[in-house]
Amino acid sequence: MRIILLLVLLKLFLQLSFRFAILDNIVFKHFIYQKHLNLERIALIMDISEISMLIADNRKLLDVMRCIPHIEKTELARQINISFPTLSARLKDLEASQIIQSDMAVNPQSFLLCGISIGGAQSKVTLVDAAYHVLSWEKFDQICQKYKVFDDDGTYKPHNKSNENGYKYFDTPKEIAELKTCLAKILNDVIKIRECAEHDSSLPPIISIGIAVTGSIDPVNQIIIHSANVPYLTRQSLNTLIDIDIQHKLRQIGINIIIDHNAKA
């Protein structure tokens, strides 16, 4: 009886040991999987940060390439006043990061820009690809729906189906306090898109925001000297229009924001 009992206990021990080994293996694999996901996420965030820095360091080069697609390298070097070897090294880095293509054109899918236009009667917000093309309504709406941004809470007007471009319109507020609230909501949505891009490699990161107004602008000090169609904007600056915490958050994630004349934006 004692031997039989020992055999039963031994069998039970082996069964439990086997089950714990399986459980340990599952836990270990889950740990490795989670670690892999975290490493992928960290790598993606680093990639976005590095891409933003690379774009910032090559803004003049990219601006010329956007305006003159497939430009000859010698002509590009002449226009931005750098040596050919320096240009070749920069182009190699930009192509490796998929910011430009091998045919000397900017990759439209590499990043996004956000444009906000403040008009006398109505204003609008849109997203622009890396080649300076306004996203189609279909693409813009897909982003809005998928990531729950620029959503219709009564702020935005219904889409005009005759307009294929991706704009969302809203009435220009009558008072500056209301405009600040609208801008804060838009910029928080931009931040949300950027954060979503850190988890979703199919979503290009937003790297810059431009606020376009009519009138006289001091681009260096970011001050609206005079605005005829929106009088309360006169003598307003970027710092008075945009909450300081939002500005800080934008700087943290590498998003540049400027005010400029609507003819230049």
Side-chain angles (χ1 to χ4, degrees), residues 185-197:
K185 184 176 185 299
I186 291 170
L187 297 180
N188 280 321
D189 280 343
V190 169
I191 291 169
K192 184 177 181 181
I193 293 172
R194 177 57 179 268
E195 290 174 342
C196 287

Side-chain angles (χ1 to χ4, degrees), residues 96-156:
S97 299
Q98 299 184 347
I99 296 170
I100 65 171
Q101 300 166 342
S102 58
D103 61 352
M104 290 295 290
V106 175
N107 175 13
Q109 307 302 320
S110 56
F111 58 86
L112 295 172
L113 313 167
C114 177
I116 305 165
S117 178
I118 303 172
Q122 67 178 8
S123 301
K124 59 186 176 182
V125 60
T126 190
L127 295 178
V128 180
D129 68 21
Y132 280 175
H133 298 139
V134 174
L135 295 191
S136 67
W137 171 256
E138 183 180 2
K139 287 184 178 179
F140 184 47
D141 191 49
Q142 283 175 355
I143 291 174
C144 294
Q145 296 290 335
K146 183 175 181 179
Y147 303 103
K148 309 298 181 188
V149 293
F150 310 130
D151 51 346
D152 190 7
D153 60 353
T155 300
Y156 300 102

